[in-house]
Amino acid sequence: MSTKKLWGGRFSEEADPWVNEFGASIAFDQLMTKEDILGSLAHVKMLKKTGILNNEDADKIIKGLEEISDEYDAGTLVFDVENEDIHMNIESILTKKIGPVAGKLHTGRSRNDQVATDFHLYLKNRLPIIIEELYNLQKTLIKLAEENVETIMPGYTHLQHAQPISYGHYLMAYYSMFKRDIDRFEFNMKHTDISPLGAAALAGTTFPIDREFSAKELGFNEVYSNSLDAVSDRDFALEFLSNASILMMHLSRFCEEISMWVSFEFQYIELSDQFTTGSSIMPQKKNPDMAELIRGKSGRVYGNLLGLLSTMKSLPLAYNKDLQEDKEGVFDTVKTIIPSLKVFNGMISSIKINKDKMYAATENDYSNATELADYLSSKGIPFREAHAIVGKLVLECIQRNINLQDLSITEFKNISNLIEDDIYEILKPEIAVQRRNSLGGTSFEQIKKQIQQAKKDIQ
């Protein structure tokens, strides 16, 4: 006596419920319900078009699937762990609705190409949402940068004051990072926009199917040319997780700096109350929790990438049950990065920038030392010699607890008679920024060019 499973003809006994639960994926792959129904509709329409199914049977299946789709939209569809996955659940529901003719839906296909198709569709439908959120974030960055072209702040290397820069320049650096993220996700679309439907279990089918027709019905740009590859390929998911990991790394770096900039030690910026929280014991606290959460969530996205890479690393062709582990990490990553982008965008669009604090930080340091070295070099002193001279001068100033601009012209001339009164202008932070007018530099002119180009790019 066979089991109750739709595939149970070869089996003579049922598995225990706890075994069924372990093997089932319906708890998470029901997120692909709409995609599974759409895939089945495309498949049955192809079966009808090719004459593999007669019109009456095909129309009955189509009507049943459309009703199931409506029930899902209404929230009345109930799934059963006994039916393992979303594909068997939909087929079981369809069978109860229209009878044995539902079994004809599976003609010329397998769950192997069915699940691959669902997975492609799921990601294909979500990548544009992610890209759109990135565009929204870029627009916010452009607006902030435009408002802060002439806002001066310290630039850092090794977290030490290095040279003064424009805050607008700083923001446009992250704009460029997110631009590359968009490029990666758009390239990811190319490998996601391929239809596995019709590859069947691994070797294709004997039925005269039309894979190009079903691909067109689903909006796919092309079909897999090899049936083995079609059912076993998860490169598109790995690319997505890799791209998402890089994106989260960019967000995490930004959030790390936000967490520093809002601290008492810096006070460069202040976050809106909407994106901060307080302390249950310390009344004065205003914690950058949303920035910290986004920074923390980068770890789970990295974990999802490493998880799928590890799952895939030793899999023989073609389909293996291990591939059931391909989806949860992707679903979780989609659920993580879209809200992270929304929250991050809201957080920085409502940021308060303490321009005076930023500027003061560039006056009370030695980040203008390179200006003096460049000045001496422009007078004919070899740069290495100029570098050594200024280094000794900085040490002297540190010992005297003064800044370079506090030295008298006489003290400057004791170093070199080539130094003139114009050195005090040269040492001003805003002049240091303005003078860096090389392509991609931090000068106001260069930042405005970056912003103009960015506006063209996102139109």
Side-chain angles (χ1 to χ4, degrees):
M1 179 179 178
S2 64
T3 72
K4 297 176 184 177
K5 302 287 187 182
L6 293 179
W7 43 258
R10 183 247 185 269
F11 292 79
S12 58
E13 59 180 311
E14 295 277 359
D16 289 335
W18 61 271
V19 176
N20 284 333
E21 190 171 343
F22 181 78
S25 60
I26 188 60
F28 55 86
D29 68 13
Q30 61 184 277
L31 287 174
M32 302 190 301
T33 300
K34 293 296 284 189
E35 285 79 12
D36 195 74
I37 294 170
L38 286 171
S40 290
L41 282 168
H43 185 67
V44 71
K45 288 175 183 177
M46 181 276 295
L47 294 176
K48 177 181 177 180
K49 180 251 183 187
T50 55
I52 297 170
L53 286 189
N54 63 50
N55 289 352
E56 182 182 353
D57 287 347
D59 290 342
K60 197 171 184 180
I61 293 170
I62 291 169
K63 185 174 183 296
L65 287 169
E66 288 172 345
E67 289 176 4
I68 293 171
S69 182
D70 291 340
E71 289 170 17
Y72 178 74
D73 291 339
T76 59
L77 211 56
V78 178
F79 300 117
D80 186 350
V81 71
E82 286 292 318
N83 289 317
E84 301 177 21
D85 54 37
I86 188 59
H87 328 297
M88 302 298 280
N89 267 274
I90 296 297
E91 186 172 339
S92 177
I93 293 167
L94 184 64
T95 301
K96 290 176 183 176
K97 187 178 289 291
I98 65 173
V101 70
K104 295 184 178 183
L105 171 60
H106 212 54
T107 306
R109 75 172 182 181
S110 161
R111 277 192 295 176
N112 295 356
D113 63 329
Q114 191 177 356
V115 66
T117 301
D118 291 1
F119 203 15
H120 275 266
L121 283 173
Y122 172 87
L123 207 49
K124 184 178 186 295
N125 291 337
R126 276 129 186 110
L127 280 170
I129 298 171
I130 294 164
I131 292 168
E132 182 62 28
E133 290 300 333
L134 277 164
Y135 275 125
N136 292 338
L137 177 52
Q138 283 189 313
K139 290 172 187 175
T140 298
L141 286 171
I142 290 171
K143 182 174 182 293
L144 268 177
E146 202 164 25
E147 293 168 355
N148 289 279
V149 169
E150 299 185 16
T151 300
I152 309 299
M153 70 174 291
Y156 295 82
T157 61
H158 309 279
L159 263 184
Q160 303 294 309
H161 284 214
Q163 292 175 303
I165 61 170
S166 157
Y167 185 56
H169 189 58
Y170 164 87
L171 292 168
M172 290 306 292
Y174 278 103
Y175 168 90
S176 297
M177 294 184 199
F178 296 128
K179 183 176 186 296
R180 292 192 295 273
D181 287 323
I182 289 173
D183 290 343
R184 277 184 283 268
F185 283 119
E186 286 180 339
F187 186 73
N188 194 182
M189 280 290 292
K190 178 182 178 182
H191 294 150
T192 305
D193 200 13
I194 312 174
S195 174
L197 192 56
L202 76 161
T205 177
T206 58
F207 291 96
I209 62 172
D210 186 341
R211 292 187 62 206
E212 285 80 8
F213 176 86
S214 56
K216 187 176 180 181
E217 282 288 307
L218 291 170
F220 283 116
N221 188 52
E222 58 181 303
V223 300
Y224 277 92
S225 60
N226 182 287
S227 59
L228 278 171
D229 186 40
V231 298
S232 63
D233 171 38
R234 295 298 184 272
D235 290 358
F236 68 99
L238 287 166
E239 279 183 7
F240 168 71
L241 292 173
S242 175
N243 297 341
S245 295
I246 296 171
L247 165 61
M248 289 303 292
M249 177 268 291
H250 290 155
L251 289 174
S252 184
R253 291 180 71 180
F254 210 153
C255 286
E256 171 72 10
E257 290 175 324
I258 287 171
S259 297
M260 290 192 296
W261 298 166
V262 299
S263 69
F264 183 81
E265 287 73 18
F266 287 90
Q267 298 182 52
Y268 289 172
I269 60 174
E270 183 179 349
L271 296 175
S272 162
D273 289 355
Q274 187 179 357
F275 298 97
T276 55
T277 64
S279 165
S280 62
I281 189 172
M282 296 165 283
Q284 83 283 5
K285 294 292 292 299
K286 185 176 181 180
N287 300 325
D289 276 19
M290 298 306 110
E292 292 171 349
L293 268 175
I294 293 169
R295 184 178 62 189
K297 287 178 183 294
S298 62
R300 70 189 295 156
V301 175
Y302 293 177
N304 291 333
L305 170 60
L306 289 172
L308 185 54
L309 280 170
S310 300
T311 296
M312 296 295 299
K313 111 183 148 57
S314 299
L315 286 189
L317 291 175
Y319 184 85
N320 301 272
K321 190 68 167 180
D322 312 50
L323 287 174
Q324 185 167 290
E325 294 296 309
D326 62 355
K327 295 168 203 67
E328 283 184 280
V330 170
F331 295 163
D332 179 73
T333 296
V334 169
K335 193 173 69 174
T336 298
I337 65 175
I338 293 176
S340 292
L341 285 166
K342 287 179 182 289
V343 169
F344 187 85
N345 194 7
M347 180 171 62
I348 64 166
S349 65
S350 58
I351 206 169
K352 177 185 175 184
I353 299 153
N354 298 324
K355 298 182 180 183
D356 292 342
K357 275 280 186 184
M358 285 185 174
Y359 185 82
T362 65
E363 285 190 304
N364 300 312
D365 64 359
Y366 301 97
S367 62
N368 53 2
T370 304
E371 307 313 305
L372 180 54
D374 284 350
Y375 180 89
L376 292 173
S377 183
S378 70
K379 298 288 186 178
I381 298 175
F383 182 80
R384 283 300 169 206
E385 184 181 337
H387 186 286
I389 291 170
V390 176
K392 291 175 183 177
L393 190 59
V394 167
L395 178 59
E396 180 185 335
C397 289
I398 291 171
Q399 292 169 343
R400 293 170 57 186
N401 197 28
I402 61 173
N403 295 310
L404 285 172
Q405 60 267 31
D406 297 328
L407 292 168
S408 67
I409 189 62
T410 302
E411 290 172 307
F412 274 124
K413 283 189 175 293
N414 286 337
I415 300 165
S416 172
N417 284 325
L418 297 173
I419 299 177
E420 305 293 341
D421 287 342
D422 62 348
I423 191 60
Y424 295 104
E425 187 72 9
I426 294 292
L427 291 176
K428 289 180 180 179
E430 62 271 28
I431 301 302
V433 170
Q434 276 284 60
R435 292 177 68 231
R436 274 163 171 73
N437 199 34
S438 56
L439 178 63
T442 191
S443 74
F444 303 155
E445 181 183 340
Q446 288 297 319
I447 299 164
K448 288 174 182 176
K449 286 181 179 179
Q450 289 179 51
I451 291 170
Q452 287 172 354
Q453 184 59 51
K455 286 181 175 179
K456 290 179 183 177
D457 289 343
I458 64 173
Q459 280 179 351

